[in-house]
């Protein structure tokens, strides 16, 4: 077994509007916005203090070139897999929050984009 060097602190997502994207993921994942760990509109944190998982942070990146699924010229950069109980209900809720369906799906997952264009998957077993 490999010795641990550190623990995951946050998954950080670059985006043009951190508050707006944090609000989207707060609703999608049921995570609280942690104002005391945030920094105005430049850095917004969901989930809890460092060491609390899951923890997602959103960082302002003006001029970000959004991914274009599945175009390799503008790759997805990262994505989150979100487990759901009812794909139809989850899809409806995600679309109502501002997500959009993207091409591609497989056995047990569908691909979407968040309001800033980052791909994510809704997954079920």
């Amino acid at each position: 077994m490999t010795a641990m060097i550190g623990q995951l602190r946050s998954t950080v997502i670059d985006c043009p509007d951190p508050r707006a994207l944090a609000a989207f993921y707060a609703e999608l994942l049921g995570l609280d916005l942690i104002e005391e760990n945030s920094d105005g509109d430049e850095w917004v944190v969901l989930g809890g203090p460092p060491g609390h998982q899951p923890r997602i942070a959103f960082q302002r990146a003006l001029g970000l070139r959004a991914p274009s699924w599945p175009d390799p010229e503008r790759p997805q950069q990262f994505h989150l897999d979100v487990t759901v109980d009812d794909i139809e209900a989850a899809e409806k809720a995600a679309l109502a929050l501002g997500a959009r369906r993207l091409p591609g799906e497989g056995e047990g997952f569908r691909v979407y984009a968040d309001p800033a264009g980052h791909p994510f998957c809704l997954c079920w077993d």
Side-chain angles (χ1 to χ4, degrees):
M1 178 173 251
T2 303
M4 182 176 70
I5 294 172
Q7 288 184 305
L8 178 65
R9 179 184 180 97
S10 303
T11 298
V12 180
I13 301 172
D14 289 351
C15 58
D17 186 344
R19 285 224 172 252
L21 197 56
F24 171 82
Y25 278 106
E27 289 291 323
L28 184 71
L29 301 173
L31 294 174
D32 293 327
L33 188 145
I34 309 301
E35 201 62 60
E36 60 268 17
N37 292 158
S38 299
D39 183 14
D41 291 335
E42 298 297 314
W43 177 266
V44 179
V45 176
L46 299 179
H52 177 83
Q53 298 299 326
R55 179 182 154 101
I56 303 174
F58 303 85
Q59 176 176 266
R60 184 179 305 281
L62 298 175
L64 177 73
R65 217 173 139 212
S68 180
W69 177 272
D71 181 359
E73 291 297 315
R74 291 173 52 197
Q76 62 182 330
Q77 302 165 8
F78 89 100
H79 78 271
L80 299 176
D81 286 343
V82 179
T83 300
V84 300
D85 291 327
D86 179 341
I87 184 58
E88 300 307 328
E91 177 176 271
K92 184 177 178 182
L95 295 174
L97 289 173
R100 62 185 165 84
R101 229 7 237 283
L102 294 176
E105 64 181 88
E107 180 107 13
F109 73 92
R110 291 182 189 165
V111 183
Y112 303 84
D114 67 26
H118 302 102
F120 69 94
C121 294
L122 295 180
C123 306
W124 66 95
D125 294 323

